[in-house]
Amino acid sequence: MIKNYFKIALRNFSKHKLFTLINIIGLSIGISAALVIYLIVHFDFTFNQSFTEGDRIYRIVSNYTFSGEATNNRGVTGALPGAMKSVSGVAISAPFFTLNQPNVLIPAKSGVPVKFKLQDNIVLADGHYFELFNYTWKAGSAKTALNAPNQVVLTTDQAKKYFPSLSYNQMLGRTVTYDTLTTSVSGIVETLKDNNDFTFHDFISAASANSNLALQNELRPTNWGGTTSASQLFIRLSPHTTVANIEKQLNEILKKNNPPKPQDKGNTRNFSLQPLSDLHFNGTYGIFDTGGDRTANKTTLYGLLMIALFLLLLGCINFVNLTTAQATQRAKEIGIRKTMGSSRVQLIIQFLSETFLITLIAVIASVAIAPVILKLFADFIPQGVKVDILGHPDLILFLFILTIVVSILSGFYPAVLLSGYKPALVLKNQTASNSHKTRNATLRKSLTVLQFVIAQFFIMATVLVGKQIYYALHKDLGFKKDAIIIINSPWKNRTVSRNQVFMNKLKAIPQIEMIAMGKDAPSSSSSNSTEATYKDGKKEIKINLEEKYGDENYINVYKIKLLAGRNLQAADTTKGFLINTTCAKVFGFKNPKDAVGKLINNFNGDTRMEIIGVVADFYHESLHSPIRPLAILTSKGNEHYNNGTFHIALKSQSAGGNEWKKAISAMESAWKEIYPEDDFEYHFFDENIAKFYDAEQHTSTLLTWATGLSVFISCLGLLGLAMYTTNLRTKEIGVRKVLGASVTQIVALLSTELVLLIVLAFVLVTPLAWYAMHKWMESFADRTSISWWIFVLSGAGMLLAALCTLSFQTIKAAIANPIKSLRNE
C-alpha cells in the first residue's frame, strides 16, 4: 500500500510540475536556513560541555564601581589563589596566568635554535588545572608533571609542532625556552577536540615563577590591590555548596586584606562566580587573554533561530496555500477512491505521504547546498561549523525530526481538507458547500497576509540596520579618520632610541604629512582610565577619567579641535594634560577657558596635574558608548609603554595614483632596518573604526539574505495563487473580454484582492517593526532616527515586487484569446 501511495504521489507531481517545483523550492529555502542555523547554534551551545562535573565549575571574576560607573574584569588579584585554602566548600582551586606572547626557542642539531615568534595560549599553571579539566595523557603523569619548577606540559598538536620527528615519550625531558625561561617537557596531553574555549597548549609549572623575578613582578602573588585579566582562577564547588556562600567568603577575605579607604567612598569592589556554562556567552568578562577567543551572543543565536523558523513557516504556508487551492482539481479522484472503499484515514496517509516525499526531496537538496551557504558566509560563521552527517549523529536526528515536523505542518490541514470531500457531491461536481469554500478562501488569505507580514518585517529591519551602519560610519566623530596609518612598535624589542630612529626614517618619506607618537588612537577598542578629583573650593568632584597618550602632534594628526588653552609640547612633563569638553562640564566649568590652569588630583590622588587645554569632544569608542570624561596626556611619563604607537597622516593621493603604496613600501623597508626580527604590520585607522560595527555588518548581511529569501518565497506563493485564480476564472475573463473589458481592467480585477492583502500586511507589520527597531536601537548611545520613509519604502518595495510577480500571470490571462478560453470551457 505504501508503495502505491508513492506511485500516486509521483504521478501527481508529474501532472502538476510547476506547483510541485514551487513547493520544493519554498521548502528547500526554509530547510536550508534551518539546517545552517542549527549547525551554528548547536556549535555554540555545545561549548565547554565535555568537562566532568562542569555544572559545579565556576570562574571567579572581579567587579568594580568607580563614581557610579561599573567595570568588570575576568581576572583576580594576584594574592587570591594563595588564600583559597581558607575558603570552605571548594573542592578544587585551579589558578593560571596567561603569558604575554613569549618567543619560543627549540634546540636544533645545527646549533641554531628553531624560533616560534610571539606564541599565544601559554599559561603558568599547577597540577590542579588537570584535576579540574580532564585531559587524556599521552606521556607523563598528571600527579607529577607540574610539581617542580621549570617544567612544561604540551598538548599533542603543539608537541608535534615543536618536535615533529619524536614520539611522545621521546619528547619527555626535551628543552623548551620561553624568552629567557628554560623548561623541560614533563608531560604530553591530547589536544581537546570537543568544542571548548580552553585552547591553551603550553602549561608551564607555576613554581617556575619562584626564582624568576620578571614573572614574580607580573604575578604579584602578595598584591590585593591590582587586578589583571591574565590572572584567572577556576574552582569546582563541593556538593551541596551554594554560590552565595562562596561569594560571601571571598568578599570577606578581600575586605580583610584590602579594607576600604576613606577616599574610596562610593566605590565598590567584589568577587563573584561565573558558571562555566556562561563562559562562552558572556561578553562582559570575555574569555581568556589568548588573542583569538570569541564569545557568542545568545540573543543573536535566538534571533537566528527565529529567522529559520520564519523561513520554514513561509515555505509551509506556500505548501498549504497551493495545495488547498488545487483541491478542486483532485476532488473527482477523491470521490472515486471513497466510492471504491478508501477510508478517510487512508486518504490522509496518502496525502501526508505526498507531502513527506516533497519534504524529503527538499531536505536532500538542502543538505547538498548547505556547504555552499557555509562557504558564502564564511567571514562570520565560526570556524568549525560544517556539514558532517557521519560524524554527528545529532544532525541525522535533527534532519529526521525536521522532515517529520515540516511534513505535518505543511500537509496535515490539506490532507484533512481533501479527505473530507463527500463522494456523492464530488461526482455531481459539487465539491463543497459555500461555507466550506469561504473557510478555505479565508485561510488562504490569512496565510498570505502572514507571509507578507514576515517579508515586510525583514525589509524594514534591513533598511534600518543599514541606515544605522551608514550613520555610524559617516558621522563626524570629532576627529579625522581617513588617510591615517597606525603602526605599533614591537613591545618586546621596543626602546626609546629605536623608536626615535624609526621616527626619523618615517619623516624622510615624502608621502607622509605628519607623524605623532603615543599609545591608542582617539577611538580604540582598548582603554585606560584612572580616578581624578577636582576641588572647587566648596565640594570635591571625583570621576573616572579615560586616558589617551600622545605627543605634541597627536591632536594635529587627527585634527582634534583645541577649544581653549594650548596643545601639549615637547617640553611638557606629566604635570600637564588636556581634557575634553565633557570632562570640563563634569568638573563644573561652563566655559572651556575657565578650566585652563586648574589643578586636578590624578592617578588616585598621587599626582597634582594642571589642565593646560580643552579639546572638543570626540568618540573614543563606538557609538554604542557615550562620550565620557577624557584626558590626553604626554607620552613621556612612561615611554616604553605609552610611546610605542606611530600615528601617521598621509598626504592626499592623486586620482588613480600609487603614492600610498610607495609610502607603505618605504615604511616596511625602514621597519626591517630597525626591527629585523619582527614582522611589519600596519592598519588604516578608518578600517579599525569600521571593525567596531562588525556585528552590525553581519546582522545586516543576514537580514539582507533573509529579506531576499522571504520575499522570493512569498512571491513564489503569490505566483502560484495567481495561476490558480486565473485558471479558476478563465470563463469569467473570456466573457468580460467579449463584453468589452480592456486588458488593464482584467489585470486590475485579478490583482486587486491580492494587492489588498499586501496592504493589510503592511498595516499590521508597521507597529510591530517599529517596536522591534526601537528596542534594537537602544544599544546605541548615538543613533539615527527611525524615519517614516523606512516603512513607506519597505511597503512600496514589497508592493512593487508583488505586482511584478502578478503581472506575469495576470497579463498573460488578460491578453489570451477569449474565443479559445470559452471554447475550452
Side-chain angles (χ1 to χ4, degrees):
M1 183 177 291
I2 298 297
K3 181 179 179 181
N4 288 332
Y5 288 158
F6 284 109
K7 274 187 178 181
I8 295 168
L10 292 173
R11 287 172 186 167
N12 186 57
F13 298 162
S14 178
K15 184 178 179 181
H16 304 286
K17 294 182 180 67
L18 184 58
F19 284 98
T20 301
L21 183 62
I22 290 174
N23 280 329
I24 290 175
I25 292 174
L27 289 176
S28 294
I29 293 172
I31 292 171
S32 297
L35 174 58
V36 171
I37 289 172
Y38 167 80
L39 291 172
I40 295 172
V41 172
H42 180 269
F43 177 80
D44 277 322
F45 275 106
T46 53
F47 262 70
N48 305 325
Q49 299 294 310
S50 61
F51 298 118
T52 304
E53 299 180 293
D55 58 328
R56 292 197 281 118
I57 296 177
Y58 293 82
R59 176 171 65 175
I60 302 176
V61 293
S62 302
N63 308 290
Y64 309 89
T65 301
F66 293 111
S67 304
E69 185 175 333
T71 304
N72 308 99
N73 194 307
R74 55 179 168 262
V76 295
T77 59
L80 182 62
M84 290 303 296
K85 294 178 181 178
S86 62
V87 180
S88 60
V90 175
I92 300 174
S93 173
F96 62 83
F97 186 89
T98 308
L99 297 186
N100 192 357
Q101 294 186 311
N103 293 315
V104 179
L105 300 176
I106 306 296
K109 292 180 179 179
S110 63
V112 179
V114 179
K115 185 175 183 180
F116 297 88
K117 294 181 182 179
L118 303 176
Q119 295 295 291
D120 284 320
N121 296 300
I122 298 174
V123 295
L124 293 174
D126 58 26
H128 294 303
Y129 181 92
F130 293 106
E131 291 182 46
L132 190 62
F133 302 109
N134 41 295
Y135 286 73
T136 301
W137 286 79
K138 296 294 186 179
S141 168
K143 295 180 179 179
T144 59
L146 293 179
N147 287 352
N150 303 328
Q151 291 182 324
V152 64
V153 173
L154 304 175
T155 61
T156 50
D157 287 352
Q158 197 70 1
K160 286 297 183 183
K161 179 179 175 181
Y162 292 161
F163 308 104
S165 61
L166 302 181
S167 67
Y168 296 134
N169 286 321
Q170 289 173 332
M171 295 176 189
L172 296 179
R174 296 286 177 165
T175 299
V176 182
T177 301
Y178 300 88
D179 286 337
T180 58
L181 176 64
T182 300
T183 65
S184 174
V185 177
S186 58
I188 307 293
V189 294
E190 186 171 359
T191 303
L192 296 175
K193 300 301 182 184
D194 295 322
N195 293 340
N196 72 90
D197 293 304
F198 294 81
T199 55
F200 307 122
H201 44 62
D202 295 51
F203 303 88
I204 302 171
S205 57
S208 305
N210 295 338
S211 59
N212 189 299
L213 183 60
L215 289 177
Q216 284 283 315
N217 291 336
E218 288 191 64
L219 287 169
R220 296 188 291 174
T222 60
N223 182 276
W224 284 98
T227 300
T228 171
S229 60
S231 179
Q232 298 197 39
L233 178 56
F234 281 76
I235 60 175
R236 182 194 294 162
L237 303 189
S238 302
H240 312 300
T241 301
T242 65
V243 170
N245 178 34
I246 300 298
E247 290 180 341
K248 181 180 179 182
Q249 293 183 69
L250 292 174
N251 289 308
E252 286 177 351
I253 292 173
L254 176 64
K255 188 175 180 180
K256 177 182 177 181
N257 289 278
N258 189 26
K261 302 180 179 66
Q263 60 265 35
D264 291 334
K265 185 178 181 181
N267 299 337
T268 63
R269 181 182 182 188
N270 64 75
F271 294 125
S272 61
L273 299 189
Q274 180 189 16
L276 179 64
S277 59
D278 185 57
L279 197 69
H280 188 65
F281 302 100
N282 195 328
T284 300
Y285 299 105
I287 303 177
F288 304 125
D289 292 345
T290 59
D293 60 338
R294 59 169 284 273
T295 55
N297 187 299
K298 285 187 177 180
T299 302
T300 300
L301 295 176
Y302 293 140
L304 287 174
L305 288 174
M306 291 303 297
I307 289 175
L309 180 61
F310 283 145
L311 292 176
L312 266 180
L313 187 59
L314 289 175
C316 294
I317 288 172
N318 264 5
F319 192 97
V320 172
N321 269 346
L322 296 180
T323 306
T324 54
Q326 294 180 84
T328 54
Q329 298 183 28
R330 303 194 67 179
K332 188 171 290 187
E333 174 196 344
I334 295 164
I336 293 172
R337 287 184 175 281
K338 281 198 167 186
T339 302
M340 298 297 292
S342 291
S343 67
R344 188 172 188 182
V345 172
Q346 288 176 319
L347 288 172
I348 288 175
I349 294 173
Q350 177 192 324
F351 294 128
L352 282 177
S353 67
E354 293 180 9
T355 307
F356 174 81
L357 189 56
I358 287 180
T359 305
L360 185 61
I361 295 171
V363 168
I364 294 171
S366 300
V367 172
I369 65 176
V372 179
I373 298 174
L374 291 174
K375 189 173 182 179
L376 190 64
F377 295 104
D379 288 343
F380 52 91
I381 287 180
Q383 291 184 359
V385 176
K386 58 183 178 180
V387 183
D388 183 11
I389 295 179
L390 297 178
H392 292 85
D394 57 278
L395 185 56
I396 298 175
L397 179 62
F398 169 76
L399 290 173
F400 174 75
I401 293 173
L402 186 64
T403 304
I404 299 300
V405 170
V406 172
S407 298
I408 293 173
L409 283 176
S410 302
F412 184 74
Y413 176 78
V416 171
L417 173 70
L418 292 170
S419 64
Y421 285 156
K422 299 184 183 304
L425 293 176
V426 166
L427 296 176
K428 293 178 181 179
N429 287 329
Q430 299 174 10
T431 53
S433 65
N434 289 333
S435 62
H436 201 169
K437 290 181 179 178
T438 302
R439 285 197 301 272
N440 293 344
T442 301
L443 175 67
R444 285 198 298 273
K445 290 175 183 178
S446 300
L447 293 176
T448 300
V449 169
L450 179 57
Q451 274 190 316
F452 284 99
V453 163
I454 294 171
Q456 291 187 71
F457 180 88
F458 280 140
I459 295 174
M460 293 171 183
T462 301
V463 174
L464 178 78
V465 171
K467 186 171 184 275
Q468 176 61 23
I469 293 172
Y470 182 88
Y471 176 81
L473 294 179
H474 293 82
K475 180 180 174 58
D476 181 5
L477 301 175
F479 51 76
K480 177 190 174 186
K481 61 182 180 181
D482 300 320
I484 294 177
I485 287 179
I486 296 174
I487 300 175
N488 292 308
S489 60
W491 70 273
K492 288 196 173 183
N493 297 314
R494 179 185 303 163
T495 63
V496 175
S497 59
R498 271 183 152 185
N499 281 351
Q500 189 58 53
V501 173
F502 184 61
M503 168 78 88
N504 294 336
K505 287 185 175 293
L506 292 179
K507 288 180 179 178
I509 299 174
Q511 295 85 3
I512 292 178
E513 181 179 18
M514 185 182 297
I515 307 170
M517 291 186 69
K519 197 178 179 185
D520 298 325
S523 188
S524 169
S525 57
S526 61
S527 64
N528 295 282
S529 63
T530 186
E531 289 184 359
T533 305
Y534 171 68
K535 294 182 180 179
D536 64 357
K538 300 178 181 178
K539 60 181 179 179
E540 184 177 87
I541 302 170
K542 192 173 186 179
I543 65 172
N544 192 50
L545 190 63
E546 297 284 330
E547 296 175 312
K548 298 289 180 182
Y549 290 88
D551 61 12
E552 63 275 14
N553 287 331
Y554 186 82
I555 67 171
N556 295 325
V557 165
Y558 290 102
K559 307 296 183 187
I560 298 171
K561 294 179 181 178
L562 183 66
L563 302 179
R566 66 172 177 83
N567 185 16
L568 296 170
Q569 296 177 357
D572 278 331
T573 64
T574 55
K575 296 295 184 181
F577 67 112
L578 305 173
I579 62 171
N580 65 353
T581 307
T582 296
C583 181
K585 290 178 180 178
V586 171
F587 282 144
F589 303 115
K590 295 181 179 179
N591 191 316
K593 294 181 180 179
D594 298 336
V596 178
K598 297 298 189 294
L599 296 177
I600 305 297
N601 288 331
N602 205 359
F603 301 110
N604 297 314
D606 293 337
T607 306
R608 289 177 63 79
M609 301 181 66
E610 179 185 357
I611 299 173
I612 61 173
V614 179
V615 298
D617 280 339
F618 58 86
Y619 284 89
H620 37 100
E621 292 182 24
S622 72
L623 296 191
H624 287 286
S625 304
I627 295 176
R628 296 188 292 271
L630 177 138
I632 302 176
L633 301 91
T634 178
S635 53
K636 294 184 179 296
N638 191 331
E639 298 198 27
H640 181 74
Y641 292 103
N642 299 333
N643 213 27
T645 302
F646 299 89
H647 307 264
I648 305 163
L650 300 173
K651 293 179 181 178
S652 298
Q653 187 169 227
S654 59
N658 61 350
E659 291 91 341
W660 291 359
K661 184 181 291 187
K662 291 180 180 178
I664 293 171
S665 179
M667 293 178 205
E668 184 172 8
S669 297
W671 177 276
K672 289 179 178 178
E673 288 184 37
I674 309 304
Y675 307 108
E677 62 271 47
D678 297 287
D679 297 330
F680 175 70
E681 294 181 359
Y682 67 94
H683 304 280
F684 276 95
F685 181 46
D686 57 348
E687 293 176 352
N688 291 351
I689 297 293
K691 287 179 181 178
F692 286 152
Y693 308 103
D694 276 351
E696 287 74 21
Q697 297 274 18
H698 296 162
T699 299
S700 178
T701 302
L702 287 172
L703 281 175
T704 300
W705 277 93
T707 298
L709 294 175
S710 62
V711 171
F712 178 69
I713 295 173
S714 300
C715 288
L716 274 180
L718 196 63
L719 177 62
L721 287 178
M723 292 173 64
Y724 166 75
T725 302
T726 54
N727 290 337
L728 197 65
R729 303 176 72 173
T730 300
K731 186 173 182 179
E732 177 191 349
I733 295 168
V735 171
R736 286 181 179 276
K737 289 200 72 175
V738 170
L739 294 175
S742 65
V743 172
T744 304
Q745 289 173 323
I746 298 295
V747 171
L749 174 71
L750 297 174
S751 304
T752 299
E753 184 179 22
L754 293 173
V755 168
L756 288 176
L757 295 180
I758 296 170
V759 173
L760 175 60
F762 173 78
V763 172
L764 294 175
V765 76
T766 298
L768 177 65
W770 181 90
Y771 177 77
M773 293 176 190
H774 180 73
K775 296 300 291 183
W776 182 77
M777 294 283 282
E778 286 180 350
S779 66
F780 289 87
D782 190 352
R783 48 189 178 263
T784 187
S785 59
I786 305 178
S787 307
W788 61 268
W789 60 261
I790 293 176
F791 304 100
V792 173
L793 178 65
S794 303
M798 186 73 258
L799 188 60
L800 179 63
L803 287 174
C804 290
T805 304
L806 289 171
S807 65
F808 287 110
Q809 189 64 25
T810 54
I811 293 176
K812 178 182 176 182
I815 64 177
N817 189 334
I819 296 175
K820 185 177 179 180
S821 62
L822 291 175
R823 183 174 67 242
N824 290 338
E825 286 291 322

